[in-house]
Amino acid sequence: MGWTSNTASHGLIVNGDNVTALGLAVEHYQQSQVQWNGNNGETVFYQSEDPYDVPSQSSWTYNGANGYPSYEVTSNVCSHAAYGLGIYSFFNVPNVTIFQSNAILAPNISGINFTNMVTVMLSGSGGISNVINNTGGATTSAGAPHDFTPYAGSGSCSTGGTSNVDINSGGAAVSPFVADTDYSGGGTYAVTHTISTTGVTNPAPAAVYQDAREGNITYTVPGFTAGSTHTVRLHFAELYFTTTGQREFDVAINGTPVLTNFDIVAAAGGQYKANVQQFTTTANSSGQIVIHLSNGSVNQPEICGIEIQ
């Protein structure tokens, strides 16, 4: 119906191993149309259109790239095969140019194989810059299909499944923290001021505390075994306010409140000081850990980083 009237991030999320999809069609969701988290998956024929009414390029970016892939195999997957994939763009908001960096995104490892792919710009603005993993060429002229086959990953798989996740909220990759990902809502804020980590055991790299995501935010981190137990470490530093009582917000993990009217300055002992809050949780029935930050008594939430172990 519309970008703001009936929102949903994904049409299909596959968390199980050894899943086969035959004749799969998924279209018009706001992030990746298909997100595949399970190993040994296979798709035979895939039909997909990107969302039409993306309001701006800045509202549709993923890990620093333009747009979300239509078909996404996530980084914890070691083996996946797909055959006969067609992905099409029609970005139709007047006077707004939208590009999708990759129609397909998957790990570059030897167990990943895609055969017979096509991208088409049906009409509208912008188009698709690459078929898969920044290769395959662009489709930016209406009605001119771009065929690309095959794609085979070449690297080695070191995980075999999600174990540790480190996310730099609101910022770029700072090893071992990856660039901000798996979020919805909020905006970013950054400072150059030195952040003290002396009061924190096992802090994140100092640069993680110099940027943040602010606002009502939900992180939905996939790829875990349903019901598995994990330690969640939330990294904070107050980057704007100077005294207690100026920012108080709530945090819930998989629907369970863990912080109420949390005040970073009070917890850390001042502005520009790191603070870590640690919790134990279990992955939900979809193999996800969902972290939701919402307004409390004063102002909006702010978070610098997330670790899930």
Side-chain angles (χ1 to χ4, degrees), residues 18-29:
N18 308 308
V19 174
T20 298
L22 303 174
L24 177 60
V26 186
E27 303 186 325
H28 308 304
Y29 292 85

Side-chain angles (χ1 to χ4, degrees), residues 224 291 303:
F224 301 97
I291 302 165
I303 187 167

Side-chain angles (χ1 to χ4, degrees), residues 231-268:
T231 298
V232 177
R233 303 182 79 231
L234 305 180
H235 295 260
F236 302 99
E238 180 53 65
L239 305 182
Y240 186 80
F241 295 111
T242 58
T243 62
T244 60
Q246 293 182 290
R247 185 196 303 275
E248 297 178 2
F249 58 93
D250 300 338
V251 180
I253 301 177
N254 281 352
T256 300
V258 294
L259 293 171
T260 301
N261 287 330
F262 178 64
D263 187 321
I264 301 172
V265 172

Side-chain angles (χ1 to χ4, degrees), residues 59-283:
S59 67
W60 202 54
T61 61
Y62 185 45
N63 288 348
N66 289 332
Y68 285 79
S70 171
Y71 193 100
E72 178 186 16
V73 181
T74 55
S75 59
N76 58 287
V77 175
C78 291
S79 58
H80 188 87
Y83 308 87
L85 299 92
I87 296 166
Y88 316 102
S89 75
F90 174 37
F91 302 120
N92 66 359
V93 175
N95 303 314
V96 175
T97 299
I98 303 295
F99 283 95
Q100 180 182 46
S101 290
N102 288 285
I104 302 165
L105 201 61
N108 180 23
I109 56 176
S110 59
I112 302 295
N113 294 279
F114 283 78
T115 303
N116 295 331
M117 295 161 279
V118 61
T119 56
V120 181
M121 176 190 178
L122 299 174
S123 187
S125 73
I128 301 172
S129 300
N130 295 282
V131 179
I132 179 172
N133 290 3
N134 297 316
T135 61
T139 307
T140 55
S141 298
H146 192 98
D147 299 315
F148 180 62
T149 184
Y151 176 89
S154 58
S156 60
C157 188
S158 60
T159 61
T162 298
S163 53
N164 292 344
V165 173
D166 305 307
I167 299 172
N168 181 16
S169 300
V174 182
S175 183
F177 283 67
V178 301
D180 203 5
T181 187
D182 295 329
Y183 63 84
S184 62
T188 61
Y189 183 73
V191 300
T192 58
H193 196 284
T194 300
I195 306 297
S196 172
T197 62
T198 57
V200 175
T201 301
N202 297 324
V208 169
Y209 299 105
Q210 291 179 307
D211 50 52
R213 179 158 292 278
E214 294 185 318
N216 283 281
I217 312 158
T218 299
Y219 280 88
T220 304
V221 184
F224 301 97
T225 300
S228 57
T229 301
H230 299 272
T231 298
V232 177
R233 303 182 79 231
L234 305 180
H235 295 260
F236 302 99
E238 180 53 65
L239 305 182
Y240 186 80
F241 295 111
T242 58
T243 62
T244 60
Q246 293 182 290
R247 185 196 303 275
E248 297 178 2
F249 58 93
D250 300 338
V251 180
I253 301 177
N254 281 352
T256 300
V258 294
L259 293 171
T260 301
N261 287 330
F262 178 64
D263 187 321
I264 301 172
V265 172
Q271 187 185 27
Y272 301 132
K273 292 184 177 182
N275 178 261
V276 175
Q277 298 289 316
Q278 182 169 307
F279 308 96
T280 300
T281 191
T282 56

